[in-house]
Amino acid sequence: MPIPRRLGCLLLAAVLPVSALAELPSERIEPQINPELAAQNSLFDMHVYKVADNTYSAVGWQLGNVVMIEAPEGLIIVDTGESLSDSRKIMAQFRKLTDKPVKAVIYTHFHPDHINGVQAFVSREQVESGEVKIFAHETLLANVVSQGSLVGPILGARSAYSFGALLEQPDQKDMNSAIGPLVRAEPSTFIAPTDTIGKRLDTTIAGLPVQLLHAPGEAPDEIVVYLPDNRVLISSDVQQGPAFPNIHTLRGTKFRDPVEWIASIDMLRELHAEHLVPLHGRPVEGADKVEEVLRMTRDGMAYVHDQTVRWMNKGLTPDELVEKVKLPAHLAGYSPYLREMYGTVKHSVRQIYNGYLGWFQGDPVDLDPTPPKEKAERLIALMGGREKVLLAAGDAYLKGDYQWAAELSSYVIRMDHDDKLARDIKARSFRKMGYASMNFNWRNWYLMSAMELEGKFDGEQIRQRTAEIRKVMLSPDMVRSFTPQIFLQNWVTRVDPEKANDVQLTLGFEFPDTGEQLALEVRRGVAQLHQGIPEGTTLKLTMDKRFMETLLTGEGGLVKGALMGDVKIDGSLLDIKTFLGCFDFSEEPFGLTIR
């Protein structure tokens, strides 16, 4: 059989000395979507599903669903979507069904796709006047702060890769997020909860009996909503939707304890609900089907957890565990709820190991490893030099061994970030793997990383996109909910030890409108936040909390505030300048793939 011309060119390239090649022969890799992932689109057609006699789930407008409960005295909105504009479209659909006033909003957990569209349904004035209540778990606000403030820069960058924020239109065409439509980073809103719960709240809202139950799983602050009168269960993301659950999310998160998550699912099963309304995907009808979905979901998670721990206890490490722990056919084939389109078994296994044992796998060679660049240089020398490594990488690529091709070319890139041929081999390998992947998250990471390697964006563009994402996670409305303590706690992790190593100063902060006093002490490269202003403190800044909010949003600055009279300064200006110079608030551009 004759060899196709394009493949023949690539085979010729593979046998020529790499030094003779400025680049690989051109190859058009057409955008594709894994057929099973593409088929998920049918689950997210825009539709308002009626459940029982009083519950409506708006599916398909956003990543997360919005649920409306029609109570005797008004409406209860459960979760509010991720964007104001799309949530307004949902409210317009609800208004075709009823003109009752909104009496309450329930945030099931702190993730942006569940809280950011709130002002499409209620105004701040309605909440502040007591006309509308907002219910949430007692830790929700702290989680919002941690997500948007403490690790905002790196989480924003990683979220850009996870959600494919810079992917070109052909790579997004006809795509979905596996548990809902594609996410759009649009202006967000937030209103702080008025009523918080701990373990459980049995109450009446707008004349309707409602149970709010704390059910940690995908998020630590998750609450589910149960309507005992008609056995409707709104399951938050405890039942995460029509895909294998994200026991770990690649964008980064604290450990999601699968044992705790499984216990929450079992608690839901004990309710014997007749109707299940997840906040991703379509409702599930009938007590038997509800039980089946919940049972199979928990069994899939339990199998991965239990077998990971079983083999951990036999000494296996993460790289060995991912080859050992695989779902049995009856679980792996349970479509769509256990298909690996959102979470995967492999990255869940690694996180379970890390959650129990941490990063150290037991071989002391990992305690103080050779730095990555030096390791790459030594390995490449042992393998006969750059040319032989890239010939092997090219050969692996031609044989369809894309992972090995990417690994080999990575060594060359670590030696020289600008090595065009190495970057090209790795980028093409990632495109092949991305287009074949059934998993939404893996696909986006492969394709975003391919774009970085191809030079289609740089660290500055990621920084700009990250800033947009952070505005979604940390909108001006969210900032209004921040306390002065939250504001100053963020400074503690911003100390630059090179500038602060010889500094021992304390700066007091007074907020007359809230009556709060705090102080930051810099002590030779370490910062400590104090409640109150220690006696003898000579440096102090006085400002209203409202001005503090402008500092968080970037609208204001301390120097400008001092000149305009918004900030009163006590003490030596030189010492205050020295103190403020100890902190690093710069946002450095960076990519995640070229290291």
Side-chain angles (χ1 to χ4, degrees):
M1 180 182 292
I3 298 173
R5 184 173 182 276
R6 187 176 65 186
L7 181 57
C9 290
L10 288 172
L11 287 169
L12 180 62
V15 298
L16 284 174
V18 177
S19 57
L21 294 174
E23 58 185 26
L24 288 177
S26 62
E27 177 190 14
R28 184 173 179 82
I29 304 176
E30 295 289 346
Q32 298 177 38
I33 304 173
N34 178 283
E36 189 167 353
L37 180 58
Q40 287 286 92
N41 282 314
S42 64
L43 301 180
F44 311 126
D45 293 334
M46 293 183 184
H47 187 75
V48 177
Y49 292 88
K50 184 176 182 179
V51 180
D53 56 349
N54 67 345
T55 304
Y56 301 84
S57 180
V59 177
W61 278 268
Q62 304 184 72
L63 177 63
N65 303 337
V66 176
V67 176
M68 177 183 73
I69 302 168
E70 188 173 7
E73 299 167 11
L75 304 177
I76 305 167
I77 302 296
V78 182
D79 281 359
T80 63
E82 73 240 20
S83 80
L84 188 60
S85 59
D86 286 328
S87 291
R88 282 175 173 158
K89 295 174 186 176
I90 292 172
M91 188 58 175
Q93 295 295 316
F94 288 161
R95 281 296 174 223
K96 295 177 182 179
L97 303 171
T98 176
D99 60 0
K100 287 183 177 180
V102 176
K103 289 295 185 180
V105 172
I106 300 171
Y107 296 145
T108 64
H109 60 292
F110 75 99
H111 291 163
D113 53 315
H114 296 263
I115 63 176
N116 280 5
V118 63
Q119 291 187 38
F121 304 97
V122 297
S123 68
R124 185 174 294 279
E125 291 72 25
Q126 286 177 300
V127 175
E128 290 176 349
S129 70
E131 179 185 344
V132 176
K133 290 185 175 183
I134 298 182
F135 294 86
H137 190 260
E138 59 193 8
T139 62
L140 178 133
L141 192 55
N143 290 327
V144 168
V145 171
S146 177
Q147 170 185 258
S149 177
L150 188 63
V151 293
I154 184 60
L155 186 57
R158 292 171 66 100
S159 295
Y161 282 70
S162 271
F163 290 106
L166 293 175
L167 291 185
E168 296 166 315
Q169 184 55 40
D171 286 334
Q172 297 191 58
K173 187 176 184 296
D174 300 325
M175 265 295 294
N176 60 78
S177 298
I179 58 171
L182 291 180
V183 175
R184 292 187 294 169
E186 294 192 353
S188 60
T189 61
F190 182 70
I191 304 175
T194 60
D195 294 63
T196 60
I197 75 162
K199 184 72 174 173
R200 174 176 180 146
L201 177 66
D202 290 73
T203 187
T204 299
I205 304 175
L208 183 72
V210 175
Q211 294 177 3
L212 303 179
L213 309 171
H214 182 217
E218 192 241 12
D221 56 357
E222 280 193 271
I223 57 175
V224 300
V225 182
Y226 184 60
L227 309 180
D229 285 359
N230 53 10
R231 295 168 64 192
V232 171
L233 171 61
I234 302 169
S235 61
S236 184
D237 280 359
V238 180
Q239 200 297 308
Q240 198 173 34
F244 188 83
N246 232 359
I247 296 175
H248 174 68
T249 177
L250 298 180
R251 68 180 179 272
T253 184
K254 293 180 180 179
F255 181 53
R256 294 174 173 178
D257 187 344
V259 173
E260 193 172 53
W261 194 339
I262 291 163
S264 291
I265 297 177
D266 284 340
M267 180 183 71
L268 269 53
R269 294 172 64 203
E270 292 173 3
L271 295 170
H272 303 292
E274 183 73 28
H275 314 273
L276 177 68
V277 185
L279 290 167
H280 296 284
R282 298 175 179 176
V284 177
E285 295 288 354
D288 289 345
K289 187 63 177 179
V290 170
E291 161 60 15
E292 177 190 298
V293 169
L294 292 176
R295 184 184 68 250
M296 293 294 282
T297 299
R298 66 88 61 206
D299 283 358
M301 295 176 66
Y303 186 94
V304 172
H305 169 269
D306 296 348
Q307 293 306 308
T308 299
V309 172
R310 174 187 172 218
W311 289 105
M312 279 168 47
N313 283 327
K314 295 178 184 292
L316 270 63
T317 63
D319 287 346
E320 296 164 330
L321 287 167
V322 296
E323 299 304 318
K324 178 69 72 172
V325 180
K326 301 179 188 299
L327 288 176
H330 76 283
L331 293 174
Y334 187 63
S335 183
Y337 298 100
L338 290 178
R339 300 298 292 156
E340 295 179 62
M341 288 177 281
Y342 195 59
T344 73
V345 173
K346 283 189 173 183
H347 73 244
S348 298
V349 164
R350 293 183 185 279
Q351 181 67 349
I352 292 167
Y353 182 100
N354 194 64
Y356 280 112
L357 298 181
W359 63 269
F360 182 53
Q361 298 177 21
D363 185 344
V365 75
D366 294 328
L367 293 177
D368 191 16
T370 305
K373 183 178 179 181
E374 182 184 342
K375 178 180 179 180
E377 290 171 345
R378 291 186 179 190
L379 286 174
I380 288 171
L382 284 172
M383 289 186 277
R386 168 187 177 272
E387 286 76 13
K388 285 192 175 181
V389 173
L390 290 183
L391 277 173
D395 183 56
Y397 176 81
L398 289 170
K399 292 176 179 176
D401 191 355
Y402 304 123
Q403 177 65 31
W404 185 233
E407 288 183 24
L408 288 175
S409 54
S410 293
Y411 289 122
V412 178
I413 294 169
R414 287 195 188 110
M415 282 182 57
D416 179 4
H417 289 178
D418 296 323
D419 193 302
K420 188 177 186 306
L421 185 54
R423 286 172 61 158
D424 194 12
I425 293 171
K426 188 171 181 178
R428 293 189 193 193
S429 299
F430 278 173
R431 285 202 173 273
K432 293 284 190 176
M433 289 191 283
Y435 292 142
S437 178
M438 181 174 73
N439 186 271
F440 160 78
N441 287 290
W442 287 33
R443 182 184 197 271
N444 284 346
W445 276 91
Y446 283 134
L447 298 183
M448 284 284 291
S449 292
M451 288 182 68
E452 184 185 338
L453 290 158
E454 292 159 352
K456 293 183 177 177
F457 64 77
D458 57 21
E460 177 58 25
Q461 288 169 289
I462 281 292
R463 189 194 67 78
Q464 293 173 3
R465 193 70 175 113
T466 297
E468 294 173 11
I469 293 171
R470 288 187 69 193
K471 287 179 181 177
V472 173
M473 296 191 295
L474 192 63
S475 68
D477 287 316
M478 290 179 182
V479 168
R480 290 184 64 177
S481 303
F482 282 20
T483 64
Q485 179 167 343
I486 290 169
F487 167 61
L488 292 174
Q489 188 65 51
N490 190 42
W491 289 42
V492 171
T493 59
R494 299 282 190 158
V495 175
D496 183 340
E498 292 185 4
K499 296 176 180 177
N501 222 20
D502 297 320
V503 175
Q504 294 196 128
L505 288 171
T506 299
L507 178 61
F509 290 82
E510 184 169 3
F511 301 90
D513 55 339
T514 64
E516 293 176 82
Q517 288 189 334
L518 299 119
L520 269 175
E521 179 186 0
V522 171
R523 196 168 53 247
R524 300 194 64 184
V526 176
Q528 181 178 353
L529 181 61
H530 297 280
Q531 296 292 328
I533 300 176
E535 188 176 347
T537 300
T538 59
L539 306 179
K540 187 172 75 170
L541 300 180
T542 303
M543 70 187 82
D544 283 343
K545 177 181 177 291
R546 190 163 295 278
F547 179 76
M548 179 204 78
E549 293 166 9
T550 69
L551 299 178
L552 275 167
T553 60
E555 302 167 79
L558 285 174
V559 174
K560 180 181 176 183
L563 293 172
M564 299 297 292
D566 293 314
V567 180
K568 179 187 173 187
I569 298 175
D570 292 319
S572 164
L573 288 176
L574 181 60
D575 285 346
I576 289 178
K577 182 179 178 181
T578 299
F579 182 93
L580 297 177
C582 293
F583 297 89
D584 175 14
F585 289 101
S586 63
E587 299 289 349
E588 300 294 335
F590 59 86
L592 298 178
T593 303
I594 301 173
R595 315 298 295 177

